[in-house]
């Protein structure tokens, strides 16, 4: 009689507890397509990006001359993100909140460069009466809720803004911007949970400029594909070329559609790059000059838009004229900021507490 054989272990792979793909049966946003801009829109994108770049260059100079004190973080290289996203929002209806790298966002929101520059130099005419400075600019009129120095804090506050839109039923959407470094902060995930649970109208935007001060995203993030960071909260994510204003605008359209259809939040990871140091004092030992140079040469957002404009028949002269006009706007803003008076000492006690809003 043959000896009974011991059952051999099955060679079949163990089945996952959740069948593969099951979680992905839930609705998802469509894959975004690049925005088809008219010639006028393309010109406006170009104009705004050049404005941010020249404004930031001037801010860097004024800092060097001692007109700007404290911290100052420039947005150079990231222009397409703010410009592409803000262009899709409804002014006065949608709200925006971001971190301390905020000058570019304010400019893209149509706020007067003079008032922003005067804020940088701490003058009374500044958008926050000279008391916010580079990192803490605010304009409730524009539904621009800062300008925040605590890394990641704006994400929770943004969830609150999203809640307010829903509670009031005003149809607005909040856009909460944060960095790749901020994406590792705990409060971001508490906010994700509540935002999805309550289906808040909010677009979370990670501006992945590859570095958090001197630490690269790959060194600090176990999951460096940051658009996936919302998945365990059922928040879908899209990864976007943040150096291309048309890709940014296209993804924003898709995100707005998702949120306005009542699906709750969505996450956009904007792959971008900052050309300058983290702030004004940065020895930049964590990356090579060649790395920066390569991005400038191959993916610059302004040069990219220029190519689209040239293809649309805009002449070199027209672009030069725009550049000249913007240089004038920026130098006027700097003159205004340098010549405006400083706030009165009594201002120390105003706007400290808002008793009713
Ligand atoms: C809670 C908190 N921790 C640390 C800091 C110091 N800090 C300021 S900026 C920064 C890096 C953030 O990087 P990222 O989120 O990628 O934004 P980026 O500067 O690249 O725009 C850190 C750690 C801070 N301001 N707040
Ligand atoms: Mg960063």
């Amino acid at each position: 009689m043959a000896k009974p054989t011991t059952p051999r272990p099955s060679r079949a792979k163990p089945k996952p507890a959740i069948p593969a793909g099951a979680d992905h049966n839930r609705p998802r946003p469509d894959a975004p397509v690049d925005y088809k801009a008219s010639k006028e829109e393309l010109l406006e994108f170009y104009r705004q990006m050049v404005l941010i770049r020249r404004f930031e260059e001037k801010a860097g100079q004024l800092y060097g001359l001692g007109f700007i004190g404290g911290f100052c973080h420039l947005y150079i290289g990231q222009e397409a993100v703010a410009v592409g996203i803000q262009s899709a929002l409804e002014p006065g209806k949608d709200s925006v909140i971001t971190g301390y790298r905020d000058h570019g966002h304010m400019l893209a929101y149509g706020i007067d460069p003079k008032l922003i520059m005067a804020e940088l130099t701490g003058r009374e005419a500044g958008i926050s009466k000279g008391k916010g400075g580079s990192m803490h600019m605010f304009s409730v009129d524009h539904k621009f809720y800062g300008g925040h120095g605590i890394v990641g804090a704006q994400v929770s506050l943004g969830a609150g803004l999203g809640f307010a839109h829903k509670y009031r039923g005003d149809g607005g959407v909040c856009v909460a911007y944060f960095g790749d470094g901020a994406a590792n902060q705990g409060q971001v995930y508490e906010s994700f949970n509540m935002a999805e649970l309550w289906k808040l109208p909010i677009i979370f935007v990670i501006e992945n400029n590859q570095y958090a001060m001197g630490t690269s995203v790959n060194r600090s993030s176990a999951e460096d594909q940051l658009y996936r960071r919302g998945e365990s909260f059922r928040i879908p994510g899209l990864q976007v070329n943040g150096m291309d204003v048309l890709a940014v605008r296209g993804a924003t359209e898709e995100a707005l559609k998702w949120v306005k259809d009542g699906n709750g939040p969505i996450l956009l990871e904007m792959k971008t790059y900052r050309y300058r140091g983290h702030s004004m004092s940065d020895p930049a030992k964590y990356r090579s000059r060649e790395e920066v140079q390569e991005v400038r040469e191959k993916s610059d957002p302004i040069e990219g838009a220029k190519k689209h404009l040239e293809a649309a028949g805009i002449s070199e002269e027209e672009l030069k004229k725009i550049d000249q006009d913007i240089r004038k706007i920026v130098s006027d803003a700097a003159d205004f900021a340098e010549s405006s008076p400083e706030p009165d000492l009594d201002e120390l006690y105003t706007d400290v507490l808002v008793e009713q809003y």
Side-chain angles (χ1 to χ4, degrees), residues 310-329:
E310 280 161 5
I314 303 290
S315 68
E316 187 76 15
E317 278 63 47
E318 281 174 273
L319 294 181
K320 269 197 189 135
K321 169 87 175 62
I322 294 176
D323 290 357
Q324 278 166 2
D325 291 348
I326 284 174
R327 278 182 199 279
K328 170 95 174 64
I329 292 171

Side-chain angles (χ1 to χ4, degrees), residues 26 52 61 66 99 127 140-142 154 156 168 170 175 193 216 235 252 267 271 285 295 328 347:
R26 65 180 198 265
I52 295 175
Q61 285 167 12
I127 191 97
V140 175
D141 290 346
H142 292 87
Q154 74 273 25
S156 318
R168 293 178 178 149
D170 62 15
V175 179
N193 186 46
S216 77
I235 299 175
T252 311
L267 175 64
K271 296 282 294 250
K285 297 230 169 92
V295 180
K328 170 95 174 64
E347 276 294 340

Side-chain angles (χ1 to χ4, degrees), residues 75 78 80-82 85 97-99 105 151-152 154-155 175-185 188-189 192 202-212 217 221 223-231 235-243 248 251-252 255 266-273:
Y75 199 61
Q78 300 179 216
V81 178
I85 294 179
I97 189 164
T98 185
H105 290 275
V151 168
Q154 74 273 25
V155 182
V175 179
Y177 293 89
F178 55 108
D180 45 286
N184 288 330
Q185 289 291 82
V188 170
Y189 298 93
F192 279 6
I202 180 164
I203 302 175
F204 295 109
V205 179
I206 303 182
E207 291 198 68
N208 181 359
N209 62 8
Q210 322 291 328
Y211 294 96
V217 65
S221 299
E223 173 55 275
D224 62 2
Q225 299 302 301
L226 302 179
Y227 72 99
R228 296 182 181 150
R229 289 291 187 92
E231 285 295 334
I235 299 175
L238 301 172
Q239 194 172 49
V240 186
N241 178 2
M243 303 299 270
V248 173
T252 311
I266 188 169
L267 175 64
L268 298 178
E269 180 196 1
M270 295 288 164
K271 296 282 294 250
T272 182
Y273 199 77

